[in-house]
Amino acid sequence: MQPSPLANPLAAVAQLETSGSRLDGIPQDLEDSVRYAGARLTQAAGVLLRLPQEVIAQAIIVFMRFWVGAEGGSLAEFGAGQVSASSLCLVTKLSAYPKSARSLVNVYAYLDAFPLPPMHTEPKEGKAEMYYVSEGTYERRRASLFETEQRILKTLGFQVQANLPYTLCITYMQALDVFTHPRVSELAKRAIAHLNTALLSPQLLYLTHQPPSLAIAAIYLAAREAGIKLPEAEWWEVFDTDREELGFLCVGFLSTEGFAEQEKERWAGRRVPLTVEEVNAEIKRRNEESDA
Amino acid sequence: MASRWADDEADKAEALRRKQDKEEKKRLKLQKQQQAGEAARAAKEASERPAKRRRLSNSEDATTEDTARTPKDPEKERKLLRFEGGRWAPCHHRSNFETLNHIEEGSYGWVSRAKDIATSQVVALKKVKMDYNQDGFPITALREIAILQKARHPNIVDLKEVVSGDTTEECVLVMEFLEHDLKTLQEDMHDPFVASEVKTLLRQLAGGVAFLHDNYIMHRDLKTSNILLNNRGQLKLADFGMARYIPPPSAPLTQLVVTLWYRAPELLLGTPNYGTEVDMWSMGCVMGELLLKTPVLPGTNEVDQLSRIFSLCGLPEEKSWPGFWRLPNAPSLKLPRGQRNKQSFDRTRFPFLSGAGVELLSSLLSLNPDDRPTAKAVLEHDYFREQPKPKPSEMFPTFPSKAGQEKRRKQSPHAPKRGDAPGLGKVDFSSIFSAQEEGEKGAGFMLKMA
């Protein structure tokens, strides 16, 4: 059957069972941490590049797709920071907001100057030389930007497009007739916030569920949190999502916060390894720790 | 002997019996409907009660589970619409295909005919040129792939997959193979397509273009060499190297699109924002070319192109094309003024075209983009309803395929290369009609065939 342009390609079960990184002996929890940090890095870079959230979300989806499955990219071969930059480069090219290689290289150099990526604070004043990119460095980084871009395209079989749930989310709220409610903007903001959070989920929700289901789960949770009543009936079925999927997604959405807290604690004061060298060093450190 | 068809007693009895039968059936049906309605109501009532408890909440009423709930829930029967989105997997290698022969060099890649070794299916391979590596993977190829992945339509060429080659650079699009392109085909034909064939082709072309425009895609390089035809009379649009999604109003568009002969006047005059109308102009050029078997406006450069357009379609005027003089390149034009302005479409070039046909062609070739019909409107046009009707695709004649055997000749100019659109400079069009006007003076009448 011809795939529908309305639906996104989803990860196959076999692809979710393993990953290129795990086959290379990288622990799963480390991979989860790096993927989460890489997605946040993509989000931060997208904001600095003044890209619309739709473009950033697509870049994060491409970034997440890249690592999945036995044939996916491995952290032993690709740095997450590099893949993040190349995903963003690739997605902006297809969007109405192309960004030059120079802008991308500059933004990623700037973000790298933060003491602890993903960043929590401003870099220190007067440290502009920390993120200055010389002409030679720029040439090298541009070359690897494009090289990794090619590898992403080939790994994904050129499936770099993704339909997003943002507009669906608004449409569904209109269909549910909640826009007459006085606190509807709170509801809409919370729903969109849930959708953005889900991009970072270690459960890869955007790779396993179609946009309508994501939009519904976001509205459902937002309505509960904002205390806004939705129809008593099983309204999600109108938008072609069954109760089981909705339940699963709600749990997934809500667990992302806990995961984020846990990550913050785990990496307190340390850099999440976003290059191949840093990943190797982290594994070495872990091995020494367990030997000791 | 009475006629076999005469009304007799037996017939009357039979009619009566039938009527009774019918009434009985009707009654049964009504009864059934009522029963079904009652059952549905009952089911609804039954389902409404547990629905309240089945809310996805951890509030108190949900924790007190209803033990009496039936395991088989009638609501589970409700059908949800599911769309298959496919999967992703790494690109296959090019060695899965055996090249049969080269076909041509397109605007940004080489095309060849090949065979899938596993399935023996004949396909067309289009190798992406990696000429300018300044911006990484060529944006044109990326757009073509992205658009073809989304644009699945009987009149749009099917992208099967993208395969990689030996080097990381190499990238090949695998598409369905069609025997002809309209340009090469017409070059080899003795006579132009007959009216019914032109209609079949044009209707399919409009169908494909309407689908693209419905999906916010502009092709931006419609021309006969990009329109493919198979031996079953099916037409498909190809070469989406120039295509793109209609961007948000703020984003700029490049003016350097569409091969010169098919380029709309607003593009030649340097408009900063244009839309799907540029495809409709190109469609007009293709329609004219199908009728004449030769390009309608084969300009040698931008200026010559404009002059050919004005002599076929008339001169632009503020009245017929408001805002024309404000286009960037318009002030440098010197148009013949004061004289009797030639406003109308020169239909003498299409002597065998019907009134409706001329109406369609001249509206597609309207100077003012707002006057051109949409692709959907073209499909509804009377031209397709009047005699001769479009020839069914199955009845379409077949032709020997050039693409299947030998390298093609290439004469039409290429799609524009990336870069800045050149201005037109100072141009004087005052004399484009002088020759024709002399002719009009000489001959007192002209034979019109319509």
Side-chain angles (χ1 to χ4, degrees), chain A residues 67-251:
Chain A
W67 307 107
V68 158
E71 286 162 315
S74 161
L75 288 168
E77 197 187 347
F78 298 93
Q82 182 64 66
V83 175
S84 160
S86 294
S87 305
L88 207 49
C89 170
L90 191 55
V91 170
T92 49
K93 261 189 204 177
L94 279 169
S95 78
Y97 311 90
K99 294 290 165 199
S100 68
R102 183 86 226 191
S103 305
L104 282 155
V105 168
N106 281 350
V107 161
Y108 275 85
Y110 175 76
L111 289 172
D112 198 42
F114 283 95
L116 307 168
M119 38 283 121
H120 303 291
T121 50
E122 288 279 312
K124 290 206 182 85
E125 285 289 322
K127 290 275 177 148
E129 62 270 19
M130 278 181 71
Y131 47 86
Y132 170 74
V133 182
S134 70
E135 206 51 34
T137 314
Y138 164 64
E139 289 294 330
R140 263 184 289 116
R141 293 204 180 154
R142 195 191 60 174
S144 38
L145 184 70
F146 294 149
E147 203 188 299
T148 310
E149 181 190 33
Q150 298 252 10
R151 294 295 299 271
I152 296 174
L153 283 171
K154 302 249 156 97
T155 306
L156 297 189
F158 285 80
Q159 291 282 3
V160 293
Q161 299 194 86
N163 296 302
L164 296 169
Y166 296 101
T167 43
L168 280 178
C169 182
I170 301 294
T171 309
Y172 290 172
M173 282 192 278
Q174 274 171 337
L176 289 166
D177 208 17
V178 291
F179 277 87
T180 46
H181 196 283
R183 284 185 296 117
V184 69
S185 77
E186 189 194 338
L187 174 74
K189 273 184 197 154
R190 276 181 176 278
I192 299 288
H194 274 302
L195 290 178
N196 285 337
T197 307
L199 282 168
L200 310 174
S201 157
Q203 290 170 305
L204 311 176
L205 298 174
Y206 276 72
L207 271 50
T208 50
H209 294 268
Q210 295 293 356
S213 308
L214 294 168
I216 282 162
I219 296 171
Y220 184 89
L221 283 178
R224 277 178 52 85
E225 286 162 5
I228 290 175
K229 248 184 115 172
L230 291 181
E232 286 284 327
E234 303 192 313
W235 56 270
W236 42 88
E237 290 195 356
V238 176
F239 306 116
D240 300 308
T241 299
D242 60 29
R243 190 175 160 277
E244 198 177 332
E245 193 175 0
L246 171 62
F248 179 86
L249 279 172
C250 284
V251 174

Side-chain angles (χ1 to χ4, degrees), chain B residues 228-285:
Chain B
L228 308 182
L229 183 71
N230 66 18
N231 272 337
R232 292 174 301 285
Q234 289 169 324
L235 173 150
K236 294 185 194 233
L237 296 176
D239 201 338
F240 283 66
M242 287 264 156
R244 69 166 296 169
Y245 282 99
I246 299 169
S250 53
L253 285 161
T254 170
Q255 295 153 31
L256 207 57
V257 290
V258 193
T259 304
L260 186 63
W261 297 353
Y262 306 85
R263 199 178 298 166
E266 68 266 28
L267 290 170
L268 290 162
L269 292 168
T271 181
N273 39 44
Y274 53 87
T276 51
E277 302 88 10
V278 300
D279 283 344
M280 301 317 293
W281 176 273
S282 307
M283 197 192 288
C285 297

Side-chain angles (χ1 to χ4, degrees), chain B residues 348 439-448:
Chain B
T348 54
E440 271 172 51
K441 265 176 237 157
F445 67 93
M446 194 179 274
L447 191 62
K448 257 193 184 169

Side-chain angles (χ1 to χ4, degrees), chain B residues 102-140:
Chain B
H102 290 283
I103 303 174
E104 64 169 357
E105 190 183 332
S107 56
Y108 82 91
W110 296 272
V111 184
S112 53
R113 194 169 68 112
K115 198 174 77 178
D116 185 334
I117 291 171
T119 63
S120 293
Q121 199 179 25
V122 175
V123 293
L125 297 184
K126 181 167 172 177
K127 188 177 161 197
V128 176
K129 274 184 196 167
M130 298 292 275
D131 281 348
Y132 39 94
N133 232 335
Q134 282 299 306
D135 301 316
F137 195 87
I139 192 162
T140 49

